[in-house]
Structures are given as C-alpha cells and as structure tokens.
C-alpha cells in the first residue's frame, strides 16, 4: 500500500489489531481458505436462521443492582 507520508503509515499500522497484523502475514492461499470458511459458516448460519431451525429460545439477562 502506498502511504502519503511516513507519519500516515505509522498511524495506519498503529490502528490495526493484532489479529489483522497476523492475518496480513499469511500466504494468499491460507487467506482464501479462511475467507471461504467464514463465508460458509455465515451462509449456513443465515440459512438456519431463515428456516428457524437454530433456536427458538430468547435469552434475556437483567443485571439490576439495588
């Protein structure tokens, strides 16, 4: 990536999470596998939610202190 200045490069790198730094160092084939797996899980979850087969329970947590 081309940065405007060195300061811009430092700022951009300091705002990246540890996961994104690690993910950016992976080879392209492993990135493609990870993205494909994420899409598969996401589409599968969306299909289960659309059909209503995932869960009918609604969880509600109330943390009230007196």
């Amino acid at each position: 990536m081309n940065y405007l200045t060195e300061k811009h490069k430092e700022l951009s790198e300091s705002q990246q999470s540890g996961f994104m730094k690690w993910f950016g160092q992976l080879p392209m084939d492993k990135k493609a596998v990870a993205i494909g797996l994420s899409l598969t899980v996401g589409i599968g979850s969306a299909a289960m939610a659309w059909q209503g087969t995932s869960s009918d329970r609604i969880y509600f947590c109330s943390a009230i202190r007196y």
Side-chain angles (χ1 to χ4, degrees), residues 33-46:
V33 169
I35 292 169
L37 182 62
S38 298
L39 282 171
T40 303
V41 169
I43 291 170
S45 298

Side-chain angles (χ1 to χ4, degrees), residues 44-66:
S45 298
M48 285 176 29
W50 185 266
Q51 291 179 340
T53 57
S54 55
S55 176
D56 293 334
R57 294 183 183 171
I58 298 174
Y59 295 98
F60 180 78
C61 178
S62 175
I64 300 173
R65 292 186 173 182
Y66 292 100

Side-chain angles (χ1 to χ4, degrees), residues 1-41:
M1 177 178 218
N2 295 331
Y3 295 97
L4 299 173
T5 64
E6 188 63 32
K7 193 76 168 170
H8 181 251
K9 180 180 178 181
E10 290 173 15
L11 179 65
S12 178
E13 289 175 353
S14 71
Q15 292 178 342
Q16 282 189 347
S17 67
F19 175 77
M20 287 306 295
K21 288 179 184 177
W22 172 80
F23 189 76
Q25 294 174 353
L26 289 176
M28 191 59 189
D29 58 339
K30 289 187 180 182
K31 286 181 190 176
V33 169
I35 292 169
L37 182 62
S38 298
L39 282 171
T40 303
V41 169

